[in-house]
Amino acid sequence: MIPLRLSSLHGKFFMLVVSVLLGLAATMMLVTRFTVTRSIAASERHAVNNVMELLRRDLDLRWAALLSEKIEIVGSGKQQLRHMGQTLLGVIAGYADLASRGVVGDGAARGLARAWINQHSPRGAYDIYVYDEKLQVLAANRRDLIDRDLSGLTDIKGGPLNAATADAALGRPPEFALYHWPDGGQRDEDARYAYFAYFPHWNWVMVIDDSARTVLERAALRRQQMEQSLRDTLARLTLARSGFVMILDEQGRPIVPPPARLAGMLDTVDQSTNRSLAALLKTAAAHGSPSSVPFANSAGAWLVERSYFAPLAWTLVGVVPQADLAAPAQRVLQSQAWILAAALVVAMALAWLLAARLARPLHQLARYALEFSRQDLSRPAPPPAEIRNLPLRRRDETGRLAAAFLQMADRLTLNVRRLLEQTSARERMENELLIARDIQLGLLPLPLPDAMRGRIDLHALMVPAKEVGGDLYDYFAMRDGRLCIAIGDVSDKGIPAALFMAVTRTLIRTVAEDEDDPARIVAKVNEKLAENNRRLMFVTLMLATIDPASRLVRWVSAGHPPSIHCASGTQARALSGRSGPACGVQGGLRYRSFSTQLRAGDVLLGYTDGVTEAMAPDSRQYGESRLFACLDRLGPIDCAPLLEGILADVKAHAAGAEQSDDITLIAVRIP
């Protein structure tokens, strides 16, 4: 069993999986809480609105049924009034016909008609009377109506009664009207509905009316039954978990009251507006369209949906606690939380097993790597079987890692062996280079003989860029007592250049035994170097002979930088003249020699291009101008301090930059 440590790959992988799962679970819970709460709350509100809409439609149907029954009752009464009116018109028309045929006079016919109407005894609630264009009652079945003035009588809508007469006089169909008859008797408060018939022959209006009390009583009874039915139905209706519906009339009195547990809710005060729910509903009732009324009392926040039913001037109110709207969402979230918790536990267990399975071979590889690092890689022990079999057992990244690790171990063992061999070879090479350096330094000329040292001040130095260099300098006494000096620069570096330099130095000394002219010496050296020069190596060379007695200098420059003449009291100058190309390029060449005269204390300086081409860190070269400035500053002093001063100035310019070429200097001064 691999112990769980947070710093281990096993622990990190396990914690990563757990963190991702927890993050996903938290995100899902937050998103679900937001979306589900909103959607379920919206669904609950929609359900409340649907209930309110269904209640409105139910009221529409109940009101239509009540109105239809009321119209049916009124229509039946109107039909009776119309039938009686047509009968009475027929009788009056009969009397008028008698007058038109001359049986009786017109006045007598009218009198007979009035007498006939007056003799009708009142039956039930019916009244029969006739009035003329002056709204004066001419005849009636109730004697207290005869001679009454009807000009101040209005219908139930407030319109004048003579409007019905006018309608009849215009030949319109008989008109009905509803009015109160203030006769001071038993019908004082009765609402009456009447049938008006116009008799144009005599310009009479005949009226037959009846009491509307029966119709109103039946309508009131049906309305009471409807209200009771609504109370019974809505008492059983619950919005959400504990919401309810109540209905208020025009004065705010409850038609369908709240439940008994919330009987005083209409009088509770909203915490934000400090107004009662009844006052808020009354204010909202001015707007006929359905609306929501924000309300929160000491018991909490409530969803209050209001709708106005215009035919009865009722306000329909749906009331639901806001907590009821969120309760379904809370139940869904709780169920989801339990499911996510169970899924998280299962996922953590699987993550533990997967992390252990992934980490076990890595632990084995780590243990083997630790053991491998302690082995002698020149004779390593073979890897354990569990490590060798990992690439076969695991076809995933772990198996590929194990295969790469085994291959790395094999390559590391092989590389260590090669490194040991190369180190041994390098050590041999370094030893050989040190020997070559010693040999090259051993090839440098010995100090001048004592007899010549007293007459000539000579000093030379060489700083190779590698262990062995390609620059050369040499000086020796010739047979006639003159001093021969030479300085050169081979075209390559390292051991090949050192060998070429050694050959060149040997050739110069060998040829100088037979020749004393610098031009012939350089020509013969060039001829020998050009023979069998397959690598096409060459050497730039400056060779000069100096007569100590006369201070005459004869020199040859074979492609080499010009030597410098430093005289006291004047600026340093370069010796002009080019004798020919570098030696070793082509045989059969002739070289030209030049001469110059030195004075006492003058210095002749020879150098290689490693001096003027020395690089600073910003890739600036030392240059000839700085070399001449350094010589002018130092002056024609002794050769040793002169060369040390030049070398110090070159190193100051390089400022620690790596040396790219050999540096060689030689100076001669005749006191």
Side-chain angles (χ1 to χ4, degrees), residues 299-583:
W302 302 78
L303 172 66
V304 180
E305 296 289 338
R306 184 209 64 85
S307 180
Y308 185 70
F309 187 66
L312 294 175
W314 285 358
T315 300
L316 314 180
V317 184
V319 182
V320 181
Q322 290 285 1
D324 286 8
L325 302 180
Q330 293 296 332
R331 289 195 296 270
V332 171
L333 291 175
Q334 290 175 0
S335 301
Q336 188 182 47
W338 282 110
I339 294 173
L340 287 176
L344 183 62
V345 171
V346 174
M348 289 174 63
L350 294 177
W352 174 276
L353 296 176
L354 180 60
R357 186 175 185 275
L358 292 176
R360 185 177 296 107
L362 298 178
H363 279 282
Q364 294 172 350
L365 285 174
R367 187 169 55 251
Y368 172 65
L370 185 61
E371 295 173 355
F372 184 78
S373 65
R374 297 169 180 169
Q375 294 181 11
D376 181 4
L377 296 184
S378 61
R379 294 184 300 276
E386 59 183 15
I387 301 298
R388 290 197 309 271
N389 295 332
L390 271 179
L392 301 177
R393 290 189 295 106
R394 305 292 293 268
R395 299 293 182 178
D396 53 7
E397 288 78 1
T398 304
R400 290 194 291 271
L401 177 62
F405 194 89
L406 291 173
Q407 184 180 6
M408 180 193 69
D410 294 340
R411 294 296 299 273
L412 184 61
T413 302
L414 179 61
N415 290 338
V416 167
R417 291 175 181 172
R418 289 178 179 175
L419 181 61
L420 292 175
E421 295 173 357
Q422 292 173 359
T423 301
S424 177
R426 187 178 296 110
E427 289 176 352
R428 289 195 300 271
M429 178 67 71
E430 290 176 354
N431 291 332
E432 292 173 358
L433 287 175
L434 291 176
I435 295 172
R437 179 182 177 86
D438 294 339
I439 294 174
Q440 186 180 23
L441 293 177
L443 293 176
L444 295 178
L446 297 174
L448 292 173
D450 295 338
M452 187 172 286
R453 268 204 310 267
R455 293 181 298 161
I456 297 176
D457 179 16
L458 185 147
H459 189 73
L461 60 82
M462 182 171 63
V463 182
K466 296 184 177 180
E467 287 81 356
V468 291
D471 283 6
L472 67 94
Y473 73 86
D474 196 7
Y475 54 85
F476 54 89
M478 301 180 71
R479 292 175 302 173
D480 56 3
R482 289 180 299 168
L483 176 67
C484 180
I485 65 171
I487 184 169
D489 186 2
V490 181
S491 61
D492 205 350
K493 300 287 185 298
I495 293 178
L499 293 175
F500 202 80
M501 178 272 290
V503 170
T504 302
R505 178 182 178 276
T506 302
L507 287 174
I508 291 173
R509 284 180 174 258
T510 302
V511 174
E513 291 179 356
D514 299 327
E515 297 287 347
D516 55 4
D517 182 38
R520 289 197 298 271
I521 294 174
V522 172
K524 289 186 177 182
V525 169
N526 174 65
E527 197 68 28
K528 292 297 184 180
L529 291 176
E531 293 178 358
N532 298 322
N533 188 9
R534 297 178 182 179
R535 292 176 57 89
L536 297 179
M537 297 179 67
F538 60 89
V539 58
T540 65
L541 187 64
M542 191 284 293
L543 186 142
T545 61
I546 304 172
D547 187 353
S550 64
R551 299 185 181 91
L552 179 65
V553 179
R554 297 181 64 195
W555 54 273
V556 173
S557 178
H560 196 77
S563 300
I564 300 174
H565 179 199
C566 301
S568 177
T570 61
Q571 293 182 344
R573 66 181 182 87
L575 297 180
S576 60
R578 185 176 180 83
S579 303
C583 297

Side-chain angles (χ1 to χ4, degrees), residues 190-204:
D190 284 354
R192 314 288 294 177
Y193 64 98
Y195 172 76
F196 294 84
Y198 178 62
F199 187 64
H201 189 71
W202 289 342
N203 200 19
W204 283 4

